[in-house]
Amino acid sequence: PAKKAKVADEKSTLTGKSNAKLYSEGVRYFVKQRYDEAEKRFTVTDRKGYKPAASNYYLGEIAYYTKKYEDAIFYFKKSAGIYDKASYIDTLLLHTAVSLEKTGDKGQARVFYENIIENYAGKKTAKIAKDRLKKL
């Protein structure tokens, strides 16, 4: 019974907060690599339509860092579909490419790596993309 109360309590702490508060808490938990806590918050902000591109980007990053590559691809596509001019788009594309590579879709991964090299020359992500493309 004590466990059930804790879950209910946690739910109410999430629903009682503003979207902005949930989002900023999500970012803080993400930075601390407390992915389960961050994921709960970004799931709510995404569902409520608060910063949906960034919320999905973070959900993608959480999936990526926990090696759930299929989920990562899903969230990254959703995020890029909402706003493809975000400051983090090159990282999103790189992590999509790595996720595609990890799930065995080397052809699509190659397309993403080439896109990054072409469009983000001089950025760290382009250098990483070049290195990964050589090893494909």
Side-chain angles (χ1 to χ4, degrees), residues 36-95:
D36 53 335
E37 289 300 320
E39 184 177 14
K40 285 175 195 161
R41 284 153 179 83
F42 291 125
T43 301
V44 173
T45 57
D46 175 42
R47 200 174 60 239
K48 292 183 170 180
Y50 182 80
K51 295 195 178 203
S55 293
N56 278 283
Y57 167 70
Y58 277 113
L59 287 167
E61 288 288 272
I62 291 163
Y64 176 82
Y65 286 117
T66 55
K67 299 182 174 12
K68 295 176 187 151
Y69 298 112
E70 299 276 350
D71 292 349
I73 293 164
F74 170 81
Y75 289 122
F76 289 147
K77 277 186 180 166
K78 195 171 165 190
S79 176
I82 296 165
Y83 184 54
D84 65 0
K85 301 276 184 275
S87 59
Y88 50 74
I89 202 74
D90 59 315
T91 301
L92 180 152
L93 294 171
L94 179 65
H95 288 176

Side-chain angles (χ1 to χ4, degrees), residues 8-23:
D9 189 44
E10 191 174 280
K11 274 263 190 293
S12 65
T13 61
L14 287 181
T15 50
K17 290 179 180 167
S18 72
N19 291 335
K21 179 113 177 96
L22 285 171
Y23 181 86

